[in-house]
């Protein structure tokens, strides 16, 4: 079978919206590759048939709407090429080997026959079906900070759950309950499937919504791996929804945005306890662990 490989180069702030739209157009898989100059290359695969041209035009029309939403999509480059089925499938799997993150996490696709060590926390996820599968620095940083923040019987909120990886990790670290909140409807069935695959669906409540606005109760840990422009408005809600001395973990922050994030956190009564960084392709990503003081 022949496949169409669609490659879009766009800004980092537009990347997740573009990926979600590709899923709405029934992409079989989506891969993120960070590039220099604060851009991201997104690669999606479709069966090669008469609908491909229409999908390319729909994507171009979608990118043209971004300025009206206050988002810059440049360079907004779209390219298309044909690949063979066998070549695509083998290349796809080679891009996503099992990987170790932090002290105990082992992330593995479902096709890998892998025997975890007794101390490992195994998470099974098929990459490319929603944002957040452990192969991006922002997700790795979130997992590393979660490992120290989540304790047995904690209540956790995962804002922008995407693939559900952080919610799964929280349960496997001992959390009693996780509210996994996602605004994008296309990610909901993917997260639900991943929760079932990892045996955590009874401890996770999957909700479609915008942040914490519609939720009740308080949490020991609130984690958000999303864009800084989305994180900043969440901070006031986090301050009122945490247990005494609860923690927030924010990732998806560029190094150039760190000062602003820390300033808003401190103004809302948080103390930054840890800043974790990871560089990839000349881009430095940051995650922050902060504690509520009052």
């Amino acid at each position: 079978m022949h496949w169409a490989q669609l490659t879009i180069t766009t800004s980092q702030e537009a990347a997740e919206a573009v990926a979600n739209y590709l899923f709405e157009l029934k992409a079989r898989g989506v891969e993120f590759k960070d590039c220099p100059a604060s851009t991201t290359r997104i690669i999606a695969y479709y069966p090669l048939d008469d609908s491909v041209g229409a999908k390319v035009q729909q994507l171009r029309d979608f990118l043209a709407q971004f300025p009206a939403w206050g988002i810059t999509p440049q360079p907004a480059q779209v390219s298309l090429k044909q690949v063979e089925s066998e070549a695509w499938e083998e290349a796809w799997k080679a891009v996503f080997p099992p990987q170790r993150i932090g002290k105990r996490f082992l992330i593995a696709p479902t096709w890998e026959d892998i025997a975890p060590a007794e101390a490992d926390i195994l998470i099974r996820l098929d990459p490319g079906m929603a944002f957040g599968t452990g192969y991006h620095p922002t997700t790795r940083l979130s997992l590393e900070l979660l490992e120290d923040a989540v304790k047995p019987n904690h209540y956790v909120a995962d804002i922008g759950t995407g693939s559900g990886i952080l919610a799964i990790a929280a349960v496997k670290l001992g959390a009693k309950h996780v509210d996994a909140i996602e605004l994008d409807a296309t990610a909901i069935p993917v997260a639900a499937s991943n929760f079932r695959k990892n045996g955590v669906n009874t401890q996770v409540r999957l909700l479609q919504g915008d942040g914490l606005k519609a939720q009740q109760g308080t949490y020991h840990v609130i984690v958000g791996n999303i864009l800084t422009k989305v994180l900043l408005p969440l901070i006031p809600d986090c301050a009122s929804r945490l247990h005494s001395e609860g923690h927030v973990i924010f990732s998806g922050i560029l190094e150039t945005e760190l000062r602003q994030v820390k300033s808003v956190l401190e103004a809302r009564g948080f103390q930054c306890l840890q800043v974790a960084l990871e560089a990839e392709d000349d881009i430095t990503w940051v995650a922050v662990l902060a504690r509520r003081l009052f």
Side-chain angles (χ1 to χ4, degrees):
M1 181 177 180
H2 299 300
W3 292 83
Q5 182 188 75
L6 187 59
T7 302
I8 305 95
T9 305
T10 188
S11 65
Q12 289 172 349
E13 67 173 344
E16 188 172 353
V18 171
N20 288 337
Y21 189 68
L22 291 168
F23 287 127
E24 290 180 18
L25 294 177
K26 308 301 183 186
R28 297 297 178 89
V30 173
E31 177 186 352
F32 289 82
K33 289 184 177 293
D34 286 326
C35 307
S38 298
T39 61
T40 297
R41 189 164 67 251
I42 306 167
I43 303 171
Y45 294 89
Y46 294 92
L48 187 60
D49 55 31
D50 293 341
S51 68
V52 169
K55 287 181 170 63
V56 171
Q57 187 57 52
Q58 287 175 283
L59 178 61
R60 293 187 192 280
D61 293 342
F62 180 66
L63 289 167
Q65 299 178 58
F66 276 57
W69 303 330
I71 300 174
T72 302
Q74 275 74 22
Q77 297 170 345
V78 180
S79 64
L80 184 67
K81 76 173 184 178
Q82 177 181 317
V83 295
E84 298 295 327
S85 174
E86 183 177 353
W88 167 56
E89 290 172 1
E90 293 308 311
W92 180 254
K93 290 182 178 181
V95 170
F96 300 108
Q99 62 170 330
R100 293 190 175 276
I101 299 173
K103 305 180 192 75
R104 299 172 60 197
F105 287 119
L106 177 59
I107 316 298
T110 56
W111 62 73
E112 288 284 348
D113 183 13
I114 191 167
E118 186 176 349
D120 287 340
I121 296 175
L122 176 63
I123 298 178
R124 291 279 194 183
L125 289 175
D126 283 339
M129 294 310 297
F131 183 75
T133 49
Y135 297 92
H136 193 273
T138 63
T139 309
R140 291 195 291 268
L141 292 170
S142 300
L143 288 167
E144 289 168 5
L145 294 180
L146 270 177
E147 199 167 20
D148 293 327
V150 176
K151 307 298 180 188
N153 297 315
H154 269 182
Y155 281 72
V156 177
D158 175 18
I159 303 173
T161 195
S163 68
I165 187 171
L166 301 183
I168 295 166
V171 172
K172 295 200 171 192
L173 287 167
K176 184 175 183 178
H177 176 85
V178 180
D179 280 343
I181 306 160
E182 176 57 55
L183 183 61
D184 177 30
T186 63
I188 296 292
V190 177
S193 175
N194 286 332
F195 295 151
R196 290 191 296 271
K197 288 176 185 175
N198 287 275
V200 303
N201 47 303
T202 60
Q203 294 123 297
V204 178
R205 180 171 59 166
L206 180 58
L207 304 159
Q208 185 178 0
D210 184 8
L212 296 171
K213 291 182 173 57
Q215 311 316 316
Q216 308 237 339
T218 55
Y219 303 97
H220 299 91
V221 177
I222 298 172
V223 57
N225 177 23
I226 40 186
L227 296 173
T228 296
K229 66 191 299 181
V230 181
L231 289 172
L232 292 175
L234 291 174
I235 293 175
D237 291 333
C238 291
S240 62
R241 302 301 300 280
L242 278 174
H243 279 276
S244 176
E245 297 192 2
H247 293 84
V248 295
I249 296 170
F250 289 155
S251 189
I253 304 164
L254 294 172
E255 189 176 28
T256 54
E257 300 167 333
L258 177 59
R259 180 176 295 181
Q260 181 186 15
V261 173
K262 290 179 69 175
S263 176
V264 175
L265 281 168
E266 289 165 1
R268 289 289 177 170
F270 287 90
Q271 176 189 12
C272 291
L273 300 177
Q274 187 175 349
V275 175
L277 301 92
E278 183 173 338
E280 184 175 276
D281 296 322
D282 298 325
I283 298 165
T284 300
W285 294 98
V286 179
V288 174
L289 172 69
R291 179 182 64 177
R292 180 188 173 200
L293 294 179
F294 55 86

